Amino acid sequence: MIRVLLADDQHLVRQAMAALLSFEPDIEVVAEVERGDLVVAAVAEHRPDVVLLDIEMPGRDGLSVAADLDVKVIILTTFGRPGYLRRAMDAGVSGFVVKDARAEELAAAIRDVCAGGRVVDRRLAAASRTTGACPLTARERAALRAAAAGGTIADVAARLFLSPGTVRNYLSAAIRKTGARNRAEAARIAETNGWL
């Protein structure tokens, strides 16, 4: 029996996945959590073979949680973005499945990953090859995230505990690297590609 832990902040989605997986004779959902910051403790308590992780959850995002787990992980997300796939692979996940996959595809992915394989949505893998790696540094990504929240350069600098000149430099580099015209467009491009 393959023991699975589900981590998704959307109750209906999580419960529907659990119900669908309950029809599989060799898969058992042993725990469900709704927040990213509860996953590590739930894994320690329930000892699943595979963890299905959403990316965007309260408390902690699935990509950062995946890096802290010593268990097979499948990212299951609505956000099929090439940058997310790269970050997930860098975090050591074994699978990346987009939520519009069929139930039988998800069950097959769980079996494949449990058997030691890797599973990646093929459309997303192809898009990832054409998009390339994230060109932004961690500081440039942080500056774009903070700028996307709005405010002046001084506001962004205060949020990041940096000088306004340093923030301007990071944002200028991010604008140049994304090919954008301004910081709002750079943030949108980075978000669309899953770099933020």
Side-chain angles (χ1 to χ4, degrees), residues 12-159:
L12 185 60
V13 171
R14 191 177 65 250
Q15 291 169 348
M17 282 190 292
L20 288 170
L21 291 173
S22 73
F23 291 114
E24 300 297 328
D26 59 338
I27 296 174
E28 175 187 11
V29 176
V30 296
E32 300 176 35
V33 296
E34 61 192 35
R35 297 179 53 90
D37 54 355
L38 301 176
V39 174
V40 173
V43 166
E45 180 182 347
H46 298 284
R47 303 174 57 113
D49 300 305
V50 178
V51 175
L52 294 179
L53 275 179
D54 189 14
I55 289 179
E56 293 189 5
M57 291 184 287
R60 233 178 132 194
D61 71 89
L63 295 174
S64 69
V65 171
D68 290 344
L69 296 177
D70 190 22
V71 65
K72 294 177 192 302
V73 173
I74 298 174
I75 294 291
L76 183 63
T77 184
T78 304
F79 305 103
R81 298 177 180 151
Y84 281 162
L85 174 59
R86 285 186 180 279
R87 289 170 51 203
M89 293 298 124
D90 290 345
V93 306
S94 299
F96 197 102
V97 178
V98 180
K99 283 183 181 173
D100 67 356
R102 296 187 323 267
E104 55 270 13
E105 291 174 320
L106 177 58
I110 291 168
R111 289 182 189 102
D112 288 349
V113 163
C114 192
R118 289 187 86 113
V119 177
V120 175
D121 179 273
R122 65 180 183 274
R123 292 166 297 184
L124 189 56
S128 178
R129 284 192 292 273
T130 60
T131 301
C134 176
L136 305 172
T137 66
R139 289 294 203 167
E140 291 162 356
R141 289 193 310 271
L144 276 180
R145 267 191 228 97
T152 65
I153 292 290
D155 296 332
V156 173
R159 276 186 231 131

Side-chain angles (χ1 to χ4, degrees), residues 144 171 174-175 178 180-191:
L144 276 180
L171 291 175
I175 291 166
T178 58
R181 291 172 289 174
N182 55 48
R183 63 183 169 164
E185 185 179 7
R188 184 188 53 75
I189 290 167
E191 180 66 31

